mmCIF file with all atom_site columns, all heavy atoms in Angstrom:
data_model
loop_
_atom_site.group_PDB
_atom_site.id
_atom_site.type_symbol
_atom_site.label_atom_id
_atom_site.label_alt_id
_atom_site.label_comp_id
_atom_site.label_asym_id
_atom_site.label_entity_id
_atom_site.label_seq_id
_atom_site.pdbx_PDB_ins_code
_atom_site.Cartn_x
_atom_site.Cartn_y
_atom_site.Cartn_z
_atom_site.occupancy
_atom_site.B_iso_or_equiv
_atom_site.pdbx_formal_charge
_atom_site.auth_seq_id
_atom_site.auth_comp_id
_atom_site.auth_asym_id
_atom_site.auth_atom_id
_atom_site.pdbx_PDB_model_num
ATOM 1   N N   . SER B 1 192 ? 102.879 100.366 101.681 1.00 0.00 ? 192 SER B N   1
ATOM 2   C CA  . SER B 1 192 ? 102.752 99.129  102.436 1.00 0.00 ? 192 SER B CA  1
ATOM 3   C C   . SER B 1 192 ? 101.262 99.009  102.841 1.00 0.00 ? 192 SER B C   1
ATOM 4   O O   . SER B 1 192 ? 100.760 97.848  102.813 1.00 0.00 ? 192 SER B O   1
ATOM 5   C CB  . SER B 1 192 ? 103.615 99.270  103.672 1.00 0.00 ? 192 SER B CB  1
ATOM 6   O OG  . SER B 1 192 ? 102.898 98.944  104.866 1.00 0.00 ? 192 SER B OG  1
ATOM 7   N N   . SER B 1 193 ? 100.541 100.089 103.022 1.00 0.00 ? 193 SER B N   1
ATOM 8   C CA  . SER B 1 193 ? 99.057  99.874  103.398 1.00 0.00 ? 193 SER B CA  1
ATOM 9   C C   . SER B 1 193 ? 98.289  99.285  102.185 1.00 0.00 ? 193 SER B C   1
ATOM 10  O O   . SER B 1 193 ? 97.483  98.462  102.324 1.00 0.00 ? 193 SER B O   1
ATOM 11  C CB  . SER B 1 193 ? 98.419  101.219 103.873 1.00 0.00 ? 193 SER B CB  1
ATOM 12  O OG  . SER B 1 193 ? 98.502  102.173 102.853 1.00 0.00 ? 193 SER B OG  1
ATOM 13  N N   . ILE B 1 194 ? 98.559  99.855  100.957 1.00 0.00 ? 194 ILE B N   1
ATOM 14  C CA  . ILE B 1 194 ? 97.926  99.307  99.760  1.00 0.00 ? 194 ILE B CA  1
ATOM 15  C C   . ILE B 1 194 ? 98.214  97.818  99.638  1.00 0.00 ? 194 ILE B C   1
ATOM 16  O O   . ILE B 1 194 ? 97.352  96.987  99.416  1.00 0.00 ? 194 ILE B O   1
ATOM 17  C CB  . ILE B 1 194 ? 98.304  100.144 98.487  1.00 0.00 ? 194 ILE B CB  1
ATOM 18  C CG1 . ILE B 1 194 ? 97.748  101.547 98.567  1.00 0.00 ? 194 ILE B CG1 1
ATOM 19  C CG2 . ILE B 1 194 ? 97.783  99.368  97.231  1.00 0.00 ? 194 ILE B CG2 1
ATOM 20  C CD1 . ILE B 1 194 ? 98.255  102.457 97.515  1.00 0.00 ? 194 ILE B CD1 1
ATOM 21  N N   . ASN B 1 195 ? 99.520  97.505  99.852  1.00 0.00 ? 195 ASN B N   1
ATOM 22  C CA  . ASN B 1 195 ? 100.020 96.164  99.665  1.00 0.00 ? 195 ASN B CA  1
ATOM 23  C C   . ASN B 1 195 ? 99.245  95.249  100.610 1.00 0.00 ? 195 ASN B C   1
ATOM 24  O O   . ASN B 1 195 ? 98.781  94.200  100.167 1.00 0.00 ? 195 ASN B O   1
ATOM 25  C CB  . ASN B 1 195 ? 101.581 96.187  100.066 1.00 0.00 ? 195 ASN B CB  1
ATOM 26  C CG  . ASN B 1 195 ? 102.256 94.971  99.478  1.00 0.00 ? 195 ASN B CG  1
ATOM 27  O OD1 . ASN B 1 195 ? 101.589 94.025  99.076  1.00 0.00 ? 195 ASN B OD1 1
ATOM 28  N ND2 . ASN B 1 195 ? 103.525 95.033  99.485  1.00 0.00 ? 195 ASN B ND2 1
ATOM 29  N N   . LEU B 1 196 ? 99.215  95.562  101.936 1.00 0.00 ? 196 LEU B N   1
ATOM 30  C CA  . LEU B 1 196 ? 98.662  94.605  102.831 1.00 0.00 ? 196 LEU B CA  1
ATOM 31  C C   . LEU B 1 196 ? 97.118  94.592  102.745 1.00 0.00 ? 196 LEU B C   1
ATOM 32  O O   . LEU B 1 196 ? 96.518  93.588  102.924 1.00 0.00 ? 196 LEU B O   1
ATOM 33  C CB  . LEU B 1 196 ? 99.031  95.088  104.268 1.00 0.00 ? 196 LEU B CB  1
ATOM 34  C CG  . LEU B 1 196 ? 100.427 94.935  104.717 1.00 0.00 ? 196 LEU B CG  1
ATOM 35  C CD1 . LEU B 1 196 ? 100.777 95.360  106.020 1.00 0.00 ? 196 LEU B CD1 1
ATOM 36  C CD2 . LEU B 1 196 ? 101.017 93.532  104.441 1.00 0.00 ? 196 LEU B CD2 1
ATOM 37  N N   . THR B 1 197 ? 96.516  95.734  102.362 1.00 0.00 ? 197 THR B N   1
ATOM 38  C CA  . THR B 1 197 ? 95.002  95.600  102.124 1.00 0.00 ? 197 THR B CA  1
ATOM 39  C C   . THR B 1 197 ? 94.723  94.621  100.989 1.00 0.00 ? 197 THR B C   1
ATOM 40  O O   . THR B 1 197 ? 93.880  93.733  101.148 1.00 0.00 ? 197 THR B O   1
ATOM 41  C CB  . THR B 1 197 ? 94.450  97.015  101.660 1.00 0.00 ? 197 THR B CB  1
ATOM 42  O OG1 . THR B 1 197 ? 94.904  97.929  102.545 1.00 0.00 ? 197 THR B OG1 1
ATOM 43  C CG2 . THR B 1 197 ? 92.944  97.044  101.600 1.00 0.00 ? 197 THR B CG2 1
ATOM 44  N N   . VAL B 1 198 ? 95.483  94.684  99.851  1.00 0.00 ? 198 VAL B N   1
ATOM 45  C CA  . VAL B 1 198 ? 95.270  93.779  98.745  1.00 0.00 ? 198 VAL B CA  1
ATOM 46  C C   . VAL B 1 198 ? 95.645  92.433  99.196  1.00 0.00 ? 198 VAL B C   1
ATOM 47  O O   . VAL B 1 198 ? 94.945  91.515  98.816  1.00 0.00 ? 198 VAL B O   1
ATOM 48  C CB  . VAL B 1 198 ? 96.107  94.233  97.631  1.00 0.00 ? 198 VAL B CB  1
ATOM 49  C CG1 . VAL B 1 198 ? 95.924  93.272  96.408  1.00 0.00 ? 198 VAL B CG1 1
ATOM 50  C CG2 . VAL B 1 198 ? 95.637  95.581  97.066  1.00 0.00 ? 198 VAL B CG2 1
ATOM 51  N N   . THR B 1 199 ? 96.619  92.240  100.038 1.00 0.00 ? 199 THR B N   1
ATOM 52  C CA  . THR B 1 199 ? 97.042  90.911  100.452 1.00 0.00 ? 199 THR B CA  1
ATOM 53  C C   . THR B 1 199 ? 95.845  90.256  101.172 1.00 0.00 ? 199 THR B C   1
ATOM 54  O O   . THR B 1 199 ? 95.533  89.034  100.912 1.00 0.00 ? 199 THR B O   1
ATOM 55  C CB  . THR B 1 199 ? 98.219  90.994  101.326 1.00 0.00 ? 199 THR B CB  1
ATOM 56  O OG1 . THR B 1 199 ? 99.307  91.665  100.654 1.00 0.00 ? 199 THR B OG1 1
ATOM 57  C CG2 . THR B 1 199 ? 98.689  89.617  101.754 1.00 0.00 ? 199 THR B CG2 1
ATOM 58  N N   . VAL B 1 200 ? 95.260  90.970  102.099 1.00 0.00 ? 200 VAL B N   1
ATOM 59  C CA  . VAL B 1 200 ? 94.209  90.405  102.910 1.00 0.00 ? 200 VAL B CA  1
ATOM 60  C C   . VAL B 1 200 ? 93.001  90.070  101.940 1.00 0.00 ? 200 VAL B C   1
ATOM 61  O O   . VAL B 1 200 ? 92.388  88.995  102.095 1.00 0.00 ? 200 VAL B O   1
ATOM 62  C CB  . VAL B 1 200 ? 93.802  91.313  104.040 1.00 0.00 ? 200 VAL B CB  1
ATOM 63  C CG1 . VAL B 1 200 ? 92.600  90.733  104.798 1.00 0.00 ? 200 VAL B CG1 1
ATOM 64  C CG2 . VAL B 1 200 ? 94.893  91.453  105.037 1.00 0.00 ? 200 VAL B CG2 1
ATOM 65  N N   . LEU B 1 201 ? 92.642  90.942  101.059 1.00 0.00 ? 201 LEU B N   1
ATOM 66  C CA  . LEU B 1 201 ? 91.472  90.788  100.314 1.00 0.00 ? 201 LEU B CA  1
ATOM 67  C C   . LEU B 1 201 ? 91.621  89.671  99.240  1.00 0.00 ? 201 LEU B C   1
ATOM 68  O O   . LEU B 1 201 ? 90.721  88.974  98.906  1.00 0.00 ? 201 LEU B O   1
ATOM 69  C CB  . LEU B 1 201 ? 91.036  92.111  99.567  1.00 0.00 ? 201 LEU B CB  1
ATOM 70  C CG  . LEU B 1 201 ? 90.560  93.269  100.481 1.00 0.00 ? 201 LEU B CG  1
ATOM 71  C CD1 . LEU B 1 201 ? 90.187  94.440  99.682  1.00 0.00 ? 201 LEU B CD1 1
ATOM 72  C CD2 . LEU B 1 201 ? 89.422  92.838  101.325 1.00 0.00 ? 201 LEU B CD2 1
ATOM 73  N N   . ASN B 1 202 ? 92.834  89.452  98.840  1.00 0.00 ? 202 ASN B N   1
ATOM 74  C CA  . ASN B 1 202 ? 93.101  88.644  97.603  1.00 0.00 ? 202 ASN B CA  1
ATOM 75  C C   . ASN B 1 202 ? 93.847  87.390  97.893  1.00 0.00 ? 202 ASN B C   1
ATOM 76  O O   . ASN B 1 202 ? 93.762  86.495  97.084  1.00 0.00 ? 202 ASN B O   1
ATOM 77  C CB  . ASN B 1 202 ? 93.867  89.387  96.580  1.00 0.00 ? 202 ASN B CB  1
ATOM 78  C CG  . ASN B 1 202 ? 92.966  89.758  95.412  1.00 0.00 ? 202 ASN B CG  1
ATOM 79  O OD1 . ASN B 1 202 ? 91.841  89.414  95.345  1.00 0.00 ? 202 ASN B OD1 1
ATOM 80  N ND2 . ASN B 1 202 ? 93.502  90.511  94.505  1.00 0.00 ? 202 ASN B ND2 1
ATOM 81  N N   . MET B 1 203 ? 94.635  87.257  99.003  1.00 0.00 ? 203 MET B N   1
ATOM 82  C CA  . MET B 1 203 ? 95.553  86.145  99.051  1.00 0.00 ? 203 MET B CA  1
ATOM 83  C C   . MET B 1 203 ? 95.317  85.163  100.143 1.00 0.00 ? 203 MET B C   1
ATOM 84  O O   . MET B 1 203 ? 96.068  84.283  100.525 1.00 0.00 ? 203 MET B O   1
ATOM 85  C CB  . MET B 1 203 ? 96.958  86.724  99.359  1.00 0.00 ? 203 MET B CB  1
ATOM 86  C CG  . MET B 1 203 ? 97.371  87.928  98.335  1.00 0.00 ? 203 MET B CG  1
ATOM 87  S SD  . MET B 1 203 ? 98.178  87.327  96.890  1.00 0.00 ? 203 MET B SD  1
ATOM 88  C CE  . MET B 1 203 ? 99.687  86.710  97.592  1.00 0.00 ? 203 MET B CE  1
ATOM 89  N N   . ARG B 1 204 ? 93.986  85.135  100.582 1.00 0.00 ? 204 ARG B N   1
ATOM 90  C CA  . ARG B 1 204 ? 93.706  84.166  101.690 1.00 0.00 ? 204 ARG B CA  1
ATOM 91  C C   . ARG B 1 204 ? 93.636  82.694  101.161 1.00 0.00 ? 204 ARG B C   1
ATOM 92  O O   . ARG B 1 204 ? 93.353  82.410  100.006 1.00 0.00 ? 204 ARG B O   1
ATOM 93  C CB  . ARG B 1 204 ? 92.411  84.449  102.319 1.00 0.00 ? 204 ARG B CB  1
ATOM 94  C CG  . ARG B 1 204 ? 92.452  85.665  103.197 1.00 0.00 ? 204 ARG B CG  1
ATOM 95  C CD  . ARG B 1 204 ? 91.105  86.302  103.534 1.00 0.00 ? 204 ARG B CD  1
ATOM 96  N NE  . ARG B 1 204 ? 90.588  87.043  102.350 1.00 0.00 ? 204 ARG B NE  1
ATOM 97  C CZ  . ARG B 1 204 ? 89.477  86.928  101.932 1.00 0.00 ? 204 ARG B CZ  1
ATOM 98  N NH1 . ARG B 1 204 ? 88.525  86.107  102.412 1.00 0.00 ? 204 ARG B NH1 1
ATOM 99  N NH2 . ARG B 1 204 ? 88.978  87.632  100.807 1.00 0.00 ? 204 ARG B NH2 1
ATOM 100 N N   . ALA B 1 205 ? 94.027  81.805  102.070 1.00 0.00 ? 205 ALA B N   1
ATOM 101 C CA  . ALA B 1 205 ? 94.081  80.314  101.750 1.00 0.00 ? 205 ALA B CA  1
ATOM 102 C C   . ALA B 1 205 ? 92.601  79.935  101.447 1.00 0.00 ? 205 ALA B C   1
ATOM 103 O O   . ALA B 1 205 ? 91.620  80.598  101.924 1.00 0.00 ? 205 ALA B O   1
ATOM 104 C CB  . ALA B 1 205 ? 94.625  79.582  102.833 1.00 0.00 ? 205 ALA B CB  1
ATOM 105 N N   . PRO B 1 206 ? 92.385  78.867  100.604 1.00 0.00 ? 206 PRO B N   1
ATOM 106 C CA  . PRO B 1 206 ? 91.087  78.387  100.430 1.00 0.00 ? 206 PRO B CA  1
ATOM 107 C C   . PRO B 1 206 ? 90.293  78.178  101.768 1.00 0.00 ? 206 PRO B C   1
ATOM 108 O O   . PRO B 1 206 ? 90.795  77.556  102.723 1.00 0.00 ? 206 PRO B O   1
ATOM 109 C CB  . PRO B 1 206 ? 91.229  77.006  99.664  1.00 0.00 ? 206 PRO B CB  1
ATOM 110 C CG  . PRO B 1 206 ? 92.634  77.162  99.266  1.00 0.00 ? 206 PRO B CG  1
ATOM 111 C CD  . PRO B 1 206 ? 93.473  77.989  100.099 1.00 0.00 ? 206 PRO B CD  1
#
Side-chain angles (χ1 to χ4, degrees):
Chain B
S192 133
S193 64
I194 293 173
N195 198 347
L196 293 180
T197 308
V198 174
T199 304
V200 176
L201 293 180
N202 251 357
M203 310 273 289
R204 283 163 284 134

